[in-house]
Amino acid sequence: PVYALMSGIAILLGYNAILANFQFRIGHEAGKKPAGNVIRMMAYNVNKFKGIESFEGQPTQQKIYDVIAKEQPDIINFEEFYSLGSKEQNDLKRIINTSYYYFSPYEKHSTGPREYYYIGNAIFSKYPIIDSGEIEGSKSLKLHAIYVDVKRNNDIFRIYCIHLAAVTMNQSEKMGYLNGGVSLGSSSFIQNALSLAFLFRSYQVDKIKRHMEKCPYPYIVAGDFNDTPVSYAVNEVSDGLKDAFQEKGA
């Protein structure tokens, strides 16, 4: 009984944190067709259309295309979007039947003489895009955040696509830690890497918040925060906004 009581108290104290990570919706119908006035939106870090961890480097492009073709979002944000020429843009425009998109690359890589591929953030919309741009930051800040202004009937609203800083470590280090190879020295390295990522995200979020405050339209923010639902970055960006997961989580 004592242990049960302690567990109950702990759950009550952490109730808000639990709801930030898990949502339980009684009567929620998966796959239910939304009302006609609903805007359907996706946010997808496609990792250059390559798999991760046990699927490291394996192509995922067609599987991602299949998901998008099935869901048919009105607007979709991509983080780590891969573009070789304009093939990927043309693929997505065909899949969701649109000509409206904005792609902002932040990496350029050579594949041969005068041949390049690009990595960046992208937004595709079935509604007309009347303006677009980046949230500017210093080069050292590595701020990957873009926006588009979309017109739907007589309404204009803004979509932000953001990708906040991740914890930086190479693949061999990462796999070593995942396999249990954690020593006193490596734990110190992990702590420093986490602290640096937290610091980067706090500065990035500050830039994003300043930009949002000047936005003349209603706006939606989506992307890859590289952080937990109870983190400073997520709560600072979502302050004053409705959290789609908490409102409609599965």
Side-chain angles (χ1 to χ4, degrees), residues 152-249:
R152 179 178 183 263
N153 300 326
N154 294 320
D155 298 321
I156 298 174
F157 57 95
R158 177 168 292 180
I159 302 294
Y160 284 99
C161 175
I162 66 176
H163 188 189
L164 301 184
V167 177
T168 303
M169 63 180 68
N170 62 44
Q171 187 62 21
S172 61
E173 290 171 334
K174 179 180 177 181
M175 294 309 297
Y177 300 145
L178 290 175
N179 291 329
V182 180
S183 63
L184 184 61
S186 62
S187 63
S188 176
F189 168 81
I190 294 172
Q191 181 181 359
N192 292 336
L194 287 169
S195 298
L196 184 61
F198 290 147
L199 185 63
F200 263 103
R201 285 194 291 270
S202 66
Y203 281 112
Q204 291 171 343
V205 164
D206 183 67
K207 283 284 186 181
I208 293 167
K209 289 287 287 186
R210 301 292 81 76
H211 196 278
M212 289 161 52
E213 288 171 358
K214 297 177 182 178
C215 179
Y217 311 116
Y219 53 84
I220 299 170
V221 185
D224 183 355
F225 289 73
N226 274 310
D227 221 329
T228 68
V230 294
S231 65
Y232 169 82
V234 173
N235 281 277
E236 187 68 11
V237 171
S238 63
D239 183 40
L241 304 178
K242 287 188 176 182
D243 186 317
F245 176 70
Q246 291 192 14
E247 292 277 332
K248 301 291 288 185

Side-chain angles (χ1 to χ4, degrees), residues 10-244:
I11 291 172
L12 288 174
L13 291 174
Y15 184 72
N16 289 333
I18 292 172
L19 288 185
N21 288 275
F22 304 98
Q23 289 292 318
F24 307 96
R25 298 292 175 183
I26 298 173
H28 175 74
E29 297 180 34
K32 182 180 179 181
K33 188 175 181 179
N37 62 341
V38 170
I39 297 171
R40 304 185 73 245
M41 182 172 173
M42 293 178 66
Y44 209 148
N45 185 328
V46 292
N47 190 45
K48 312 176 189 70
F49 295 113
K50 294 181 179 179
I52 59 174
E53 295 179 356
S54 60
F55 299 98
E56 181 71 29
Q58 294 184 24
T60 58
Q61 193 171 45
Q62 190 54 54
K63 291 182 178 179
I64 289 171
Y65 285 174
D66 290 344
V67 171
I68 296 168
K70 178 183 177 183
E71 297 298 331
Q72 283 298 312
D74 298 311
I75 299 168
I76 181 166
N77 286 8
F78 288 101
E79 300 81 46
E80 295 192 61
F81 185 83
Y82 170 96
S83 174
L84 178 61
S86 58
K87 178 184 181 303
E88 286 71 25
Q89 289 93 318
N90 291 333
D91 287 343
L92 267 300
K93 287 193 292 182
R94 173 182 52 79
I95 289 169
I96 63 173
N97 190 28
T98 187
S99 60
Y100 305 112
Y101 79 95
Y102 175 57
F103 175 51
S104 175
Y106 51 77
E107 290 182 18
K108 178 181 178 181
H109 301 272
S110 174
T111 58
R114 295 186 296 277
E115 292 183 352
Y116 304 93
Y117 70 87
Y118 299 86
I119 307 297
N121 286 0
I123 303 174
F124 288 75
S125 170
K126 290 184 178 180
Y127 306 116
I129 294 174
I130 62 173
D131 197 9
S132 59
E134 304 176 18
I135 301 178
E136 295 183 358
S138 64
K139 189 174 181 180
S140 61
L141 190 57
K142 299 177 182 179
L143 178 59
H144 303 149
I146 64 174
Y147 66 90
V148 297
D149 293 336
V150 172
K151 187 171 185 179
R152 179 178 183 263
N153 300 326
N154 294 320
D155 298 321
I156 298 174
F157 57 95
R158 177 168 292 180
I159 302 294
Y160 284 99
C161 175
I162 66 176
H163 188 189
L164 301 184
V167 177
T168 303
M169 63 180 68
N170 62 44
Q171 187 62 21
S172 61
E173 290 171 334
K174 179 180 177 181
M175 294 309 297
Y177 300 145
L178 290 175
N179 291 329
V182 180
S183 63
L184 184 61
S186 62
S187 63
S188 176
F189 168 81
I190 294 172
Q191 181 181 359
N192 292 336
L194 287 169
S195 298
L196 184 61
F198 290 147
L199 185 63
F200 263 103
R201 285 194 291 270
S202 66
Y203 281 112
Q204 291 171 343
V205 164
D206 183 67
K207 283 284 186 181
I208 293 167
K209 289 287 287 186
R210 301 292 81 76
H211 196 278
M212 289 161 52
E213 288 171 358
K214 297 177 182 178
C215 179
Y217 311 116
Y219 53 84
I220 299 170
V221 185
D224 183 355
F225 289 73
N226 274 310
D227 221 329
T228 68
V230 294
S231 65
Y232 169 82
V234 173
N235 281 277
E236 187 68 11
V237 171
S238 63
D239 183 40
L241 304 178
K242 287 188 176 182
D243 186 317

